[in-house]
Amino acid sequence: MSAAKRPAGRGAKNTRAAWITWFSIGAVVLGCVAAGLLNGSESTDVPAPAAQERTDTVPILQRATAAQGICYGWRLADGLDAVSVGSNLGDGVPVEENPACPRWVQVVADVTYTSESSESEDYAYVRVTGSDDISRAALSSMENGLTRFGLTDDAFVDDPGWAVTRAAVMLPLLAVEAELAAPAPTPTAGTASPSPLPAAGNDLWRDRWGYLLAAAGLLLVTALLVTVGLVQRRRQRRGDGPAQRPGAETAGTRTPEQA
């Protein structure tokens, strides 16, 4: 007795399903690879402080200037290009060589990001500058004081916008320590305190989001491959034996009387 052939339509259907599955897997892999490549070509531009950071910093410096008679400001640079400047006079208004500020102090941060292909590391050069009537010793003391507040070179590399505005609001306190000014008066009860600046950000996602996305994509591909393998194995176990004519019995199950 010859075995019946399987319907051709079932094989064609399985073939189409397999092609669709592998096409989906290929699309996921290509997307992950593209994300990794885009992340590898990350821009080396130094980001400016967020608008909220600049908005919160200016009024703090204004109150300090009114109490101490010294103008305070910040300058964030990327090499020769100024990324952000500001002071008690406003966002975008420098204190250096400004007729409205005969006596001034500012924090200057020069941050440089290198490309992924470069062997050089990202770095920051931070200093405190001031008007001619302020001694170099006092400015140096203020520079050293920034590190006590966690404003190290690494902090400026990780989040330059946050670091430079935070350093600016520390200048009035450091000026008091350097004996450049008297302490600012304590605010009276009921006076609204300025909102704190946002906490320093973490550059884990900025530096590695493409790689994390690629890893998630590869895990998804692995899960799809395992699922496809299990489904195909179950199909082979269920119905891959030779088909029989309806009502037919195997020779082994017939008795001599039935024969």
Side-chain angles (χ1 to χ4, degrees):
M1 180 180 0
S2 61
K5 295 183 178 179
R6 292 186 181 182
R10 181 179 179 184
K13 181 178 180 181
N14 290 339
T15 301
R16 288 195 300 272
W19 274 109
I20 293 174
T21 301
W22 286 110
F23 179 79
S24 301
I25 293 173
V28 172
V29 173
L30 289 176
C32 295
V33 172
L37 292 176
L38 289 175
N39 186 64
S41 60
E42 182 183 354
S43 173
T44 58
D45 294 338
V46 176
Q52 186 64 42
E53 292 171 338
R54 301 193 303 270
T55 301
D56 290 343
T57 301
V58 170
I60 297 175
L61 300 183
Q62 289 175 342
R63 287 192 292 270
T65 298
Q68 298 178 346
I70 301 176
C71 291
Y72 296 102
W74 75 86
R75 177 183 175 86
L76 176 62
D78 181 358
L80 299 177
D81 299 326
V83 176
S84 174
V85 295
S87 66
N88 57 284
L89 300 176
D91 180 21
V93 183
V95 293
E96 188 174 4
E97 298 181 359
N98 192 317
C101 292
R103 197 166 192 240
W104 54 270
V105 175
Q106 70 173 349
V107 58
V108 180
D110 188 355
V111 181
T112 299
Y113 289 149
T114 58
S115 63
E116 294 291 339
S117 60
S118 174
E119 296 182 357
S120 302
E121 297 289 338
D122 300 339
Y123 64 91
Y125 175 53
V126 183
R127 63 191 187 278
V128 175
T129 61
S131 52
D132 294 337
D133 62 318
I134 299 178
S135 67
R136 181 61 247 179
L139 296 176
S140 178
S141 174
M142 297 175 70
E143 286 180 12
N144 296 331
L146 291 176
T147 60
R148 301 203 316 270
F149 298 99
L151 296 168
T152 62
D153 290 350
D154 289 340
F156 280 87
V157 170
D158 291 340
D159 195 341
W162 171 85
V164 75
T165 51
R166 175 64 71 177
V169 299
M170 292 296 113
L171 291 179
L173 176 59
L174 295 174
V176 173
E177 293 182 354
E179 299 181 352
L180 296 177
T186 304
T188 58
T191 302
S193 60
S195 58
L197 294 177
N202 193 322
D203 65 339
L204 173 64
W205 288 102
R206 177 177 70 84
D207 292 340
R208 301 177 178 85
W209 68 266
Y211 298 109
L212 294 175
L213 181 60
L218 292 177
L219 290 176
L220 178 60
V221 170
T222 302
L224 288 175
L225 290 174
V226 172
T227 303
V228 170
L230 291 176
V231 170
Q232 291 179 348
R233 185 64 179 270
R234 289 176 182 172
R235 288 179 178 175
Q236 291 176 357
R237 289 180 176 178
R238 278 203 304 264
D240 286 348
Q244 296 180 350
R245 188 173 64 255
E249 297 180 359
T250 60
T253 60
R254 295 186 178 183
T255 62
E257 291 78 3
Q258 291 173 331

